[in-house]
Amino acid sequence: DAKTTQPNSMESNEEEPVHLPCNHSTISGTDYIHWYRQLPSQGPEYVIHGLTSNVNNRMASLAIAEDRKSSTLILHRATLRDAAVYYCILQSLLTGGGNKLTFGTGTQLKVEL
Amino acid sequence: EAQVTQNPRYLITVTGKKLTVTCSQNMNHEYMSWYRQDPGLGLRQIYYSMNVEVTDKGDVPEGYKVSRKEKRNFPLILESPSPNQTSLYFCASSALAGDTGELFFGEGSRLTVL
């Protein structure tokens, strides 16, 4: 399975943009890049996903490198509620259907006033 | 409200005493999956199901069973729990098997096996 590498932790100030990096040098051509986050005592929550092009939604933006070996999740204005563990995940579509998300250990984002 | 519901949320049991963690979703999703989360290891997939009566092993299926008799329910069965199955368990679902979209997770079930 293709793996992702993320920093263990990052810090940000409230109201500032946050760029969370992820390396996935062994990504295959059909793997989707997903980001989930997990707040304390909750299940993971979908943030965004993409294949090749940059993506934007109400929560965040996803910037994907041209060679797809890395990506960056961008939170445009961090708030205290964004403090969570952020997981960069590759989604592999399985032969015969189904899909598989392989989670790593993620990046703990701390947001300070 | 669209949701994935797990029960129980917390459970302490003893080695060898069979238990079932239930998972139910109200979104008519085809795909359901179980994960376990352990410190330093992230989330690992136990089993998944692409539709009713279709299940398959994930990365860590040993010691677990599942069934998918109805679309909305996907129970996780521990026939003879052992202490190494002490973990935080999450059920998840998505609209279509093979879909590249969002996985919806339950709030988790924390299991302790003594």
Side-chain angles (χ1 to χ4, degrees):
Chain A
D1 293 338
K3 300 274 189 246
T4 61
T5 303
Q6 300 176 253
N8 288 333
S9 65
M10 292 185 65
E11 292 184 6
S12 174
N13 294 319
E14 202 175 20
E15 302 294 316
E16 290 186 356
V18 180
H19 291 232
L20 297 167
C22 181
N23 287 318
H24 28 79
S25 59
T26 60
I27 190 171
S28 76
T30 56
D31 285 343
Y32 281 75
I33 302 160
H34 283 244
W35 284 82
Y36 282 73
R37 72 180 186 180
Q38 188 173 19
L39 280 68
S41 302
Q42 293 188 24
E45 172 189 31
Y46 171 82
V47 177
I48 201 166
H49 80 285
L51 182 62
T52 56
S53 303
N54 295 344
V55 184
N56 299 296
N57 66 20
R58 62 175 178 81
M59 288 183 71
S61 295
L62 175 60
I64 301 173
E66 198 169 330
D67 63 4
R68 299 205 333 123
K69 293 186 176 182
S70 65
S71 61
T72 302
L73 178 71
I74 303 165
L75 306 179
H76 296 288
R77 293 179 66 189
T79 70
L80 295 177
R81 288 179 296 177
D82 291 322
V85 178
Y86 286 79
Y87 296 97
C88 169
I89 305 148
L90 299 183
Q91 182 190 37
S92 305
L93 298 182
L94 302 172
T95 302
N99 59 68
K100 179 177 180 180
L101 294 179
T102 303
F103 285 75
T105 52
T107 297
Q108 174 71 62
L109 175 65
K110 300 175 186 176
V111 180
E112 298 177 345
L113 292 170
Chain B
E1 180 188 353
Q3 58 186 7
V4 178
T5 304
Q6 299 178 223
N7 279 296
R9 294 287 314 280
Y10 301 91
L11 179 64
I12 300 174
T13 189
V14 295
T15 298
K17 186 176 182 182
K18 180 179 178 180
L19 68 92
T20 299
V21 186
T22 64
C23 174
S24 180
Q25 49 90 7
N26 63 0
M27 296 168 279
N28 201 36
H29 283 173
E30 284 188 358
Y31 180 86
M32 298 185 74
S33 181
W34 276 102
Y35 287 83
R36 62 178 286 173
Q37 185 173 31
D38 302 289
L41 296 175
L43 280 87
R44 294 177 292 168
Q45 190 179 50
I46 304 171
Y47 269 96
Y48 64 94
S49 169
M50 294 192 289
N51 215 324
V52 176
E53 302 291 1
V54 181
T55 63
D56 212 341
K57 296 177 181 178
D59 293 321
V60 288
E62 294 79 20
Y64 305 95
K65 288 174 59 178
V66 293
S67 69
R68 188 90 182 274
K69 293 184 170 57
E70 309 165 278
K71 199 170 189 178
R72 63 182 293 127
N73 295 323
F74 189 45
L76 179 70
I77 303 156
L78 285 72
E79 293 272 3
S80 182
S82 62
N84 64 13
Q85 292 178 298
T86 293
S87 187
L88 179 58
Y89 291 88
F90 289 100
C91 180
S93 72
S94 69
L96 297 172
D99 186 32
T100 56
E102 178 178 356
L103 261 185
F104 292 82
F105 282 83
E107 293 190 335
S109 296
R110 185 168 293 282
L111 171 64
T112 301
V113 183
L114 301 176

